[in-house]
Amino acid sequence: MADHTIASPTTGAYDVPPARELKRERKALLEVREERLRDLGGLALEMYKRDRFNAGLVVERCAELVAIEARVQEIDALLDGTARIRRGGGGAVCICGAPILLGARFCASCGRSLAPGSAESRQAGSDAPG
């Protein structure tokens, strides 16, 4: 029987939930993520209409989204059966250092293209014959 225990930095070890539970949690998190993204867009629009921008509120909502995406990445790693090490202790990051949101095609901070054919991708693969 396979060992389904992984190390936890605080308690030593804990059991990995069954795959069906992880998939259920992942699906629920993605639904919450989509709802929060829509809410964030509506919030930004209302702040624009009222000319009352609240940076703290936007940052708080974005932090919630990043936390949801981090958990989705953890679940994906567990479902893959690997303990992926994420760069910088968080999810993927852009060259500018900003976190990259799941499914993003452009960096939310600097606007760089995150597409596979972008300049950054070509630069990283410059060793490959072209």
Side-chain angles (χ1 to χ4, degrees):
M1 181 170 233
D3 182 16
H4 294 290
T5 302
I6 58 175
S8 168
T10 55
T11 61
Y14 58 90
D15 290 331
V16 176
R20 70 177 178 279
E21 288 180 27
L22 290 171
K23 288 177 183 178
R24 191 176 306 129
E25 180 184 358
R26 184 181 190 281
K27 181 179 177 183
L29 285 170
L30 290 176
E31 289 173 2
V32 168
R33 176 185 172 269
E34 291 305 314
E35 181 181 326
R36 298 263 171 91
L37 279 172
R38 284 191 302 273
D39 290 349
L40 181 60
L43 176 66
L45 178 62
E46 287 300 315
M47 287 190 291
Y48 174 78
K49 283 181 182 178
R50 300 170 198 276
D51 196 24
R52 297 186 74 186
F53 185 75
N54 182 339
L57 186 57
V58 173
V59 168
E60 178 183 313
R61 300 291 169 89
C62 288
E64 290 174 3
L65 282 166
V66 169
I68 290 170
E69 291 179 350
R71 178 60 183 152
V72 169
Q73 289 176 349
E74 289 174 11
I75 292 170
D76 288 344
L78 290 171
L79 288 171
D80 288 346
T82 63
R84 288 187 223 161
I85 298 172
R86 292 173 291 172
R87 291 175 281 158
V93 295
C94 179
I95 291 173
C96 71
I100 297 173
L101 300 176
L102 289 176
R105 293 182 294 196
F106 298 93
C107 174
S109 179
C110 69
R112 281 186 175 90
S113 174
L114 303 172
S118 69
E120 288 77 23
S121 297
R122 285 193 300 272
Q123 181 181 10
S126 61
D127 306 72

